[in-house]
Amino acid sequence: MSSVTEPAAITPASHVELVIGGMTCASCAARVEKKLNRMDGVSATVNYATEKARVSYPAGVEVADLIATVVKTGYTAEEPAPPATEETQGDAELDGLRQRLFVSLALALPVVALSMIPALQFDYWQWLALTLASPVVVWGGWPFHKAAWTNVRHAAATMDTLVSVGTLAAFGWSLWALFLGDAGMPGMRERFALTVGGMDGASTIYLEVAAGVTALILLGRYLEARAKRRAGAALRALMELGAKDVCVLRDGREVRIPADRLGVGDRFVVRPGEKIATDGTVVEGASAVDASMLTGESVPVDVGVGDAVTGATVNAGGRIVVMATRVGEETRLARMARLVEDAQNGKAQVQRLADRVAAVFVPVVIGIAVATFGAWLGATGDTAAAFTAAVAVLIIACPCALGLATPTALMVGTGRGAQLGILIKGPEVLESTRRVDTVVLDKTGTVTTGRMSLQEVHVADGADEKQVLRLAGALEHASEHPVARAVALGAEERVGPLPEAESFENVPGKGVRGRVEGHEVSVGRLFDVLPAELARAKGEAERDGRTAVVVGWDGVARGVLAVADTVKETSAEAVRSLRALGLTPVLLTGDNRTVAEAVARAVGIGEVVAEVLPEDKVDAVRRLQREGRVVAMVGDGVNDAAALAAADLGLAMGTGTDAAIEAGDLTLVRGDLRVAADAIRLSRRTLSTIKGNLVWAFGYNVAALPLAAAGLLNPMIAGAAMAFSSVFVVTNSLRLRTFR
């Protein structure tokens, strides 16, 4: 008896998000990420700006193991609290930082003034300065010293190491000069200089450096923390859009319950002015729904029985009853929030380079500071000047701005996109938008509405247009064909209520016939001979890419109805916007070439790929790529999903199918093609902001370090410049909030 060994099943990885505490710069994030990634099978991305780690881990690894690894690295980790709790914790941290900053500023300002202005220096002023500076250095700088000590215990160094070593060195030197040197003598005076040199070490104190730098870096931290909270405000606002409670129908009675207790299939009442609690279908009533907070679209959309509605939108009209189809994490709002958060947690390629630099930067800076001290001491023999230059190197080199350059721009850019109905899946998407030169547009549902409508009515001499529409509409009303529905709906809109068809017969491939108001009516292609004027109208309609439907009764053709998929009003403007971005539009469709070229002419597209099967859409995209083009694809249907995934950049219309949305890199919540151009503009602007931030951060450090080492910067000026660097990067990112 032989046995067959089954192949081992591949266990899917589990995912968890951890809130990381104690990180103060990009080096911290790099260390935590490196430690987690060293665990077998674990893949982690740590984001300094959001203070979160997104971790994928295999079976056999527990979340507790991940948390333990982070703790061993010297930081804290926990699973995220509910959004409300998380926001309260964030506010408490900001309040604590604000209190530490204001007390430190109040004590440090007199110390700086006394040290910099000789006219204010009275006998024993230095002892007052020591009294005021001590709480600033010890209590105000405690977060830096604590983090630095933790790093020492783990044989690591971060920005806090630089700040702590720099300020404590300045404070320690001052204590030595005051108690063991000549600085504590009555009548001691000190002058302030922008550069170093020409000082007597035994009578020089650096209390203004120790207190001033601590206060300035606290100010930078506070402004940075506040800006980071503002940067994440769009995502928090998105999470809070949903209704808090809902009026559910239970046994014919209305019962109000919390919205999170809704289940699929529950029916709930939405009155005018109320938010719709979750995604669902209208089962009773009619209204208009305002989706502006979710899609950016200002015009309310009419809905009636059978229409789908989205949670968090507002009922702007009458009372409706909705049956829930999606709840909790499956709703459109929750998926939007998840897409935005995933994007904010990602890293662009340029940021990965910055992370690698930040990881080795601090040890290198400490080495440069030691070398600076030695070089100055050897060249001048001036211990005080050597010490001042070394402290300036330590303080100015903090790589804070490097760590903030990408995450803050991503947070603001993706958050602003969410407000405008543009969901960016990740930072890699931004890099793709810069290179795209061709945009392939699916026709049905993207450039056109995807719904057939009655465009023109031509009648034979002596025939009555209203009668042609009444009889054709009545007969087509019994058919489910899209063309028939377009004729029936168009007729009803133009002539009012339609009569009932007394009999109905479908003629496959030809049309329909039946009896209406005593006439034997035929609609479709059931007439071999047409009057000259109708034959001419039929030919013109077909040349324009429209479907021509011949209507007649009692054996005589009386009219021709032209039916077509309607081009969206905004599509031509959207194509012009895409061209303005340097993109070449291509229309891609399964329809016949005549129809496709008619639509292309209407919106201003010169290149058409028509008559392709759904599975051939991927080949069409790849053929363009083989020609050397970088292709973006815009689509909304199941048959577009593979092409969206194959394109260099996939833009899924959010009005389309789940498959298309999952396959796309960018999701456009509104069904308006103009948003595609906005999405590419926003993505490019976010990417340019990231690059600008990184150029500033790298350039600042490259330029500032030699200046400090050369003794051309006072340590306190260095501290102010370092704090400004971080604030500049965050403020530059916040400009994305004004994107229109």
Side-chain angles (χ1 to χ4, degrees), residues 260-312:
D260 57 11
R261 284 173 51 194
L262 263 179
V264 173
D266 282 346
R267 298 185 174 215
F268 58 93
V269 177
V270 190
R271 292 183 172 80
E274 289 184 341
K275 284 183 180 178
I276 296 171
T278 194
D279 298 357
T281 304
V282 178
V283 293
E284 184 183 316
S287 183
V289 171
D290 177 3
S292 57
M293 73 284 289
L294 209 61
T295 67
E297 178 58 69
S298 57
V299 180
V301 178
D302 291 330
V303 295
V305 173
D307 288 333
V309 290
T310 304

Side-chain angles (χ1 to χ4, degrees), residues 469-628:
L469 286 171
R470 273 173 57 78
L471 299 182
L475 192 60
E476 294 282 52
H477 192 66
S479 173
E480 288 299 314
H481 193 280
V483 171
R485 287 204 301 271
V487 170
L489 187 61
E492 202 167 30
E493 286 173 352
R494 298 184 191 203
V495 301
L498 302 174
E500 290 283 333
E502 297 166 31
S503 65
F504 174 83
E505 180 191 355
N506 181 41
V507 183
K510 293 273 189 170
V512 293
R513 58 186 169 212
R515 189 171 184 79
V516 183
E517 292 185 336
H519 297 286
E520 294 296 332
V521 182
S522 298
V523 181
R525 292 183 295 165
L526 296 167
F527 292 90
D528 296 324
V529 181
L530 297 178
E533 65 270 29
L534 293 187
R536 189 167 53 253
K538 180 174 181 288
E540 287 175 359
E542 288 173 344
R543 278 196 300 276
D544 289 340
R546 297 176 180 176
T547 301
V549 178
V550 180
V551 182
W553 56 88
D554 301 333
V556 180
R558 317 276 180 161
V560 170
L561 309 180
V563 175
D565 184 3
T566 312
V567 174
K568 292 179 181 177
E569 292 177 5
T570 57
S571 290
E573 182 187 340
V575 169
R576 287 195 297 273
S577 299
L578 290 167
R579 285 190 184 280
L581 290 169
L583 305 176
T584 302
V586 177
L587 189 69
L588 179 66
T589 180
D591 268 356
N592 69 66
R593 180 160 291 278
T594 305
V595 172
E597 288 178 346
V599 171
R601 280 195 303 275
V603 297
I605 296 175
E607 192 172 345
V608 176
V609 180
E611 299 174 3
V612 292
L613 297 172
E615 56 269 27
D616 294 335
K617 287 188 175 183
V618 175
D619 294 334
V621 168
R622 288 188 174 141
R623 179 178 56 77
L624 291 168
Q625 289 170 328
R626 283 195 298 272
E627 291 173 6

Side-chain angles (χ1 to χ4, degrees), residues 12 59 78 109 165 243 257 268 274 322 334 382 444 452 495 517 554 556 558 593 639 643 659 697 702 736:
E78 59 184 11
L109 284 173
V165 169
I257 62 170
F268 58 93
E274 289 184 341
V322 178
D382 187 340
T444 308
M452 302 294 277
V495 301
E517 292 185 336
D554 301 333
V556 180
R558 317 276 180 161
R593 180 160 291 278
N639 59 354
V702 168
L736 287 167

Side-chain angles (χ1 to χ4, degrees), residues 32-107:
V32 175
E33 189 172 295
K34 186 194 288 186
K35 291 285 187 183
L36 286 170
N37 284 325
R38 280 181 180 166
M39 297 175 70
D40 287 341
V42 172
S43 174
T45 300
V46 180
N47 190 313
Y48 168 48
T50 59
E51 296 177 339
K52 288 180 180 175
R54 183 62 58 87
V55 189
S56 170
Y57 60 98
V61 175
E62 303 289 337
V63 174
D65 300 330
L66 302 173
I67 291 174
T69 298
V70 176
V71 171
K72 283 179 192 170
T73 313
Y75 303 90
T76 63
E78 59 184 11
E79 292 189 66
T85 309
E86 201 171 311
E87 186 158 351
T88 305
Q89 288 171 349
D91 290 340
E93 287 172 15
L94 202 60
D95 290 343
L97 190 54
R98 185 192 297 117
Q99 182 187 36
R100 197 177 291 271
L101 166 65
F102 286 167
V103 172
S104 297
L105 276 176
L107 295 174

Side-chain angles (χ1 to χ4, degrees), residues 300-562:
V301 178
D302 291 330
V303 295
V305 173
D307 288 333
V309 290
T310 304
T313 55
V314 176
N315 180 10
R319 176 186 183 275
I320 54 175
V321 177
V322 178
M323 183 176 73
T325 55
R326 286 176 175 169
V327 296
E329 292 298 307
E330 297 305 312
T331 64
R332 197 175 185 190
L333 175 65
R335 289 167 64 210
M336 282 176 65
R338 197 158 56 242
L339 279 172
V340 174
E341 193 163 20
D342 285 348
Q344 292 182 352
N345 278 322
K347 289 189 182 180
Q349 201 60 39
V350 282
Q351 178 63 25
R352 296 192 182 279
L353 172 62
D355 284 352
R356 287 197 295 274
V357 171
V360 298
F361 193 74
V362 175
V364 168
V365 167
I366 292 173
I368 292 172
V370 171
T372 299
F373 181 82
W376 269 83
L377 192 59
T380 66
D382 187 340
T383 310
F387 174 80
T388 307
V391 169
V393 167
L394 287 172
I395 288 168
I396 202 162
C398 298
C400 249
L402 281 178
L404 292 168
T406 296
T408 51
L410 265 180
M411 287 171 75
V412 183
T414 53
R416 181 62 184 146
Q419 291 174 331
L420 297 173
I422 301 164
L423 305 183
I424 302 170
K425 277 197 176 173
E428 305 81 11
V429 173
L430 306 179
E431 289 161 345
S432 300
T433 60
R434 181 192 55 182
R435 297 180 292 109
V436 165
D437 55 29
T438 302
V439 58
V440 174
L441 306 174
D442 171 57
K443 180 182 78 70
T444 308
T446 301
V447 176
T448 65
T449 60
R451 295 187 301 276
M452 302 294 277
S453 65
L454 181 60
Q455 304 282 309
E456 294 175 355
V457 180
H458 302 276
V459 295
D461 291 340
D464 178 53
E465 182 176 316
K466 285 192 174 182
Q467 188 179 20
V468 168
L469 286 171
R470 273 173 57 78
L471 299 182
L475 192 60
E476 294 282 52
H477 192 66
S479 173
E480 288 299 314
H481 193 280
V483 171
R485 287 204 301 271
V487 170
L489 187 61
E492 202 167 30
E493 286 173 352
R494 298 184 191 203
V495 301
L498 302 174
E500 290 283 333
E502 297 166 31
S503 65
F504 174 83
E505 180 191 355
N506 181 41
V507 183
K510 293 273 189 170
V512 293
R513 58 186 169 212
R515 189 171 184 79
V516 183
E517 292 185 336
H519 297 286
E520 294 296 332
V521 182
S522 298
V523 181
R525 292 183 295 165
L526 296 167
F527 292 90
D528 296 324
V529 181
L530 297 178
E533 65 270 29
L534 293 187
R536 189 167 53 253
K538 180 174 181 288
E540 287 175 359
E542 288 173 344
R543 278 196 300 276
D544 289 340
R546 297 176 180 176
T547 301
V549 178
V550 180
V551 182
W553 56 88
D554 301 333
V556 180
R558 317 276 180 161
V560 170
L561 309 180

Side-chain angles (χ1 to χ4, degrees), residues 182-195:
D182 301 329
M185 301 294 289
M188 189 276 276
R189 297 291 183 266
E190 190 170 65
R191 62 183 178 81
F192 177 80
L194 291 175
T195 59

